[in-house]
Amino acid sequence: MDITREQIDDLNAIVKVAITKEDYSERVDKILTDYRKNANIPGFRKGHVPMGLVKKQYGKAVLVDEVNKLLQDSLNKYLTEEKLDVLGNPLPKAQDNLDWNADNFSFEFELGLAPEFDVDLNTKKPITQYKIVADDKMIDEQIDRIAKQYGKLISQDEVTEESEVTGVFKNEEKEIENRVTFTLDKLKGKRNLNKFVGAKVGDTLELKTKSLFEDDQDLVNLLKVDQEDASDLDIEVTFSIDEINKREAAELNQELFDKLFGEGVVTSEEEMKAKIKEDAEKQFAQQADQKLLNDITEYLVENTKFDLPADFLKKWIQVTGEKELSDEEASEEYEKSEKGLRYQLIEGKIMKDNDLQVSYDELKEFAKNYVRMQMAQFGQTDPEEEVLENISSRVLSNQEEAKRLSEQIMSEKLVNLYKEKANLKAKEVTYENFVKEVYG
């Protein structure tokens, strides 16, 4: 067997594989001998079928199969030994005159090669690194919510602005029938509020969904409508009132502190505020890190210049899907995927240059912490190590879950690298201002 490479340019090459009879004949003969031993052909005893008949019946199919296996194995080995960084997979060049009755065969494959480039993490333009703080207003609002959540429900005869109402939203055409409970502070505008105030149990209110709630997410949750439809939904619904209650806030005392944070962890309102601030800012830090990761990713994709073997990739996209695409369809798919491919190459280069890897021990420890957090949400704050080991092992046995957790670890490593090497500009903001500035 002889394998040679013709370099077309830096990004494209042709690999030629020449296979001789000596490369495949032993494998083909062995398989045909096994076929002869087990063949059931009328007129011949098992194991006594003439080899000529076996070759005539099975020889071509076995030859094609074995040559293709040999071809793939040798090509993969060649790419590995030559350390060729290929994009997509090698594409076989069409051969209209391939003669399977010949002794020797020659095949050609097109290769798309990954470009060589450098990544400069010391970005010319400073990237904003947000530090999101929980201000007094947010902490006080959170304490108010907690006090109401753990307070007493007091039944009311009629709705007031402070009421919590339970009832059923209905619209037959949209098949909406959903029993919910919500507070009136979710409503948008005085007009909607006035429709509720003064109403009693058994009353049915007629409402328009357009601008019914301050937040479209409340419309999604309370009416069970699609997220995409929420902002434009303009229909009439009825709301039949089943219950009217007012929440009397719970007293901020040791009993509540222990219920929220564990016995003796918090002993005063000031400590409660400090704990809420600490927990909130831990969550905010994750959002700030994700924003930093997204911004640097965008910057690197836009500012790291290199060419791709575009014609090869379009051809590869064209023939490797579930159905073959037209030239125009393949070009459209390439345009959609080009940015993602560029970042994959950039990320791979960063990981290689900075020796960023995820070890199995890291992955297992990360999985255990993930399980620990999940259990804490259900009140199991101190699980035994053996329990964590068993559950995390089951989690990692799911390949998709293991891949997801591994990607999270790598994202953390990349963020830490960017914090160390990128040109960052620190900015402290409240969560409210962060949302306004980032999401509009």
Side-chain angles (χ1 to χ4, degrees):
M1 182 183 301
D2 185 34
I3 303 181
T4 58
R5 181 169 84 249
E6 177 188 350
Q7 200 72 31
I8 307 301
D9 55 38
D10 290 342
L11 300 174
N12 295 275
I14 301 288
V15 169
K16 299 179 181 180
V17 184
I19 295 178
T20 65
K21 187 174 183 178
E22 289 75 20
D23 296 321
Y24 63 80
S25 59
E26 187 176 336
R27 296 165 66 163
V28 170
D29 289 344
K30 181 179 183 307
I31 291 173
L32 290 176
T33 300
D34 290 340
Y35 274 25
R36 182 172 183 250
K37 291 176 183 176
N38 298 299
N40 284 313
I41 296 178
F44 298 96
R45 285 183 297 150
K46 186 176 180 181
H48 290 76
V49 180
M51 179 57 82
L53 189 58
V54 172
K55 286 184 177 180
K56 184 177 180 181
Q57 188 158 349
Y58 302 109
K60 181 70 70 64
V62 171
L63 171 66
V64 172
D65 191 39
E66 288 307 306
V67 167
N68 279 325
K69 286 180 185 175
L70 183 62
L71 190 59
Q72 289 303 318
D73 290 345
S74 58
L75 186 58
N76 290 337
K77 184 179 178 184
Y78 174 81
L79 296 177
T80 302
E81 289 177 348
E82 293 294 310
K83 297 179 180 177
L84 293 177
D85 192 0
V86 299
L87 301 179
N89 294 312
L91 285 179
K93 295 188 74 172
Q95 287 183 269
D96 296 330
N97 59 346
L98 182 60
D99 180 10
W100 286 104
N101 293 314
D103 289 337
N104 302 325
F105 307 100
S106 181
F107 302 91
E108 293 186 357
F109 293 86
E110 297 179 61
L111 301 184
L113 304 176
E116 292 187 7
F117 59 92
D118 293 316
V119 181
D120 186 3
L121 292 180
N122 187 16
T123 54
K124 292 178 182 177
K125 171 190 169 186
I127 306 291
T128 301
Q129 180 184 7
Y130 289 96
K131 181 184 178 184
I132 310 171
V133 296
D135 58 355
D136 291 341
K137 178 187 172 190
M138 168 176 275
I139 295 169
D140 289 340
E141 287 175 351
Q142 177 70 355
I143 289 174
D144 286 344
R145 280 194 293 272
I146 290 171
K148 286 179 180 177
Q149 181 183 347
Y150 286 88
K152 290 190 229 174
L153 273 181
I154 300 171
S155 179
Q156 293 180 293
D157 293 328
E158 62 179 45
V159 178
T160 67
E161 290 188 18
E162 293 77 32
S163 293
E164 176 181 292
V165 294
T166 298
V168 179
F169 278 113
K170 278 189 183 181
N171 176 287
E172 289 186 8
E173 183 183 350
K174 293 287 185 179
E175 297 182 346
I176 294 170
E177 184 168 351
N178 201 33
R179 191 172 193 271
V180 295
T181 299
F182 63 96
T183 53
L184 298 197
D185 58 354
K186 293 185 179 294
L187 296 170
K188 184 174 183 177
K190 275 284 184 185
R191 180 180 295 180
N192 288 320
L193 182 64
N194 290 338
K195 288 184 178 181
F196 280 83
V197 172
K200 298 180 179 180
V201 170
D203 287 352
T204 298
L205 310 179
E206 294 184 357
L207 307 163
K208 286 186 177 293
T209 56
K210 192 73 172 176
S211 300
L212 180 57
F213 296 106
E214 288 283 359
D215 188 344
D216 286 338
Q217 190 60 47
D218 288 325
L219 193 67
V220 172
N221 296 337
L222 296 174
L223 271 68
K224 290 279 194 292
V225 296
D226 290 338
Q227 182 80 50
E228 293 178 2
D229 296 341
S231 58
D232 297 321
L233 191 66
D234 189 5
I235 60 172
E236 289 191 356
V237 293
T238 60
F239 183 74
S240 304
I241 300 175
D242 295 338
E243 292 180 33
I244 306 168
N245 295 296
K246 181 179 179 181
R247 282 195 179 267
E248 184 179 272
E251 188 179 342
L252 301 181
N253 56 22
Q254 194 60 48
E255 182 183 353
L256 180 62
F257 301 153
D258 291 348
K259 194 179 292 184
L260 291 171
F261 306 107
E263 191 171 343
V265 174
V266 168
T267 59
S268 68
E269 188 175 340
E270 285 306 308
E271 288 182 9
M272 179 183 184
K273 287 184 177 182
K275 189 75 170 73
I276 289 173
K277 181 179 175 67
E278 178 189 351
D279 291 345
E281 290 181 354
K282 279 182 184 175
Q283 294 183 16
F284 296 159
Q286 293 176 4
Q287 293 186 54
D289 283 350
Q290 187 60 53
K291 172 63 178 166
L292 180 63
L293 185 63
N294 293 344
D295 288 347
I296 293 184
T297 296
E298 192 71 29
Y299 177 91
L300 292 175
V301 170
E302 293 299 323
N303 292 277
T304 306
K305 303 299 182 185
F306 53 82
D307 293 326
L308 291 169
D311 290 340
F312 169 84
L313 290 169
K314 289 174 187 176
K315 190 184 296 186
W316 179 73
I317 289 170
Q318 189 171 16
V319 300
T320 54
E322 290 184 6
K323 64 171 187 174
E324 188 163 330
L325 303 178
S326 67
D327 290 346
E328 185 179 345
E329 289 171 330
S331 292
E332 287 177 4
E333 286 300 313
Y334 174 73
E335 294 299 327
K336 291 178 188 174
S337 60
E338 182 186 3
K339 191 172 182 179
L341 174 58
R342 285 184 177 277
Y343 184 66
Q344 282 180 21
L345 292 171
I346 292 168
E347 184 180 70
K349 175 72 171 170
I350 293 169
M351 288 161 59
K352 182 180 178 182
D353 288 351
N354 295 276
D355 195 27
L356 298 184
Q357 301 175 39
V358 177
S359 69
Y360 182 75
D361 287 343
E362 282 180 298
L363 182 57
K364 189 160 188 181
E365 191 59 34
F366 191 83
K368 283 162 67 174
N369 288 333
Y370 170 74
V371 171
R372 191 180 283 112
M373 286 189 295
Q374 294 289 314
M375 294 178 75
Q377 291 180 7
F378 296 95
Q380 301 177 56
T381 55
D382 191 23
E384 294 180 3
E385 185 66 20
E386 186 179 352
V387 172
L388 288 174
E389 283 279 346
N390 291 337
I391 298 176
S392 62
S393 294
R394 287 202 299 273
V395 169
L396 294 178
S397 68
N398 181 322
Q399 288 188 350
E400 286 297 317
E401 194 66 12
K403 181 184 175 185
R404 185 181 70 82
L405 296 178
S406 183
E407 287 172 350
Q408 284 186 27
I409 297 172
M410 184 53 69
S411 291
E412 288 183 9
K413 287 176 180 279
L414 286 168
V415 167
N416 290 334
L417 179 70
Y418 296 156
K419 287 178 180 178
E420 178 187 338
K421 295 194 173 185
N423 179 13
L424 303 181
K425 176 180 66 178
K427 185 171 184 178
E428 186 173 293
V429 292
T430 64
Y431 183 71
E432 184 178 1
N433 288 336
F434 173 77
V435 171
K436 286 178 183 176
E437 191 167 319
V438 172
Y439 303 107

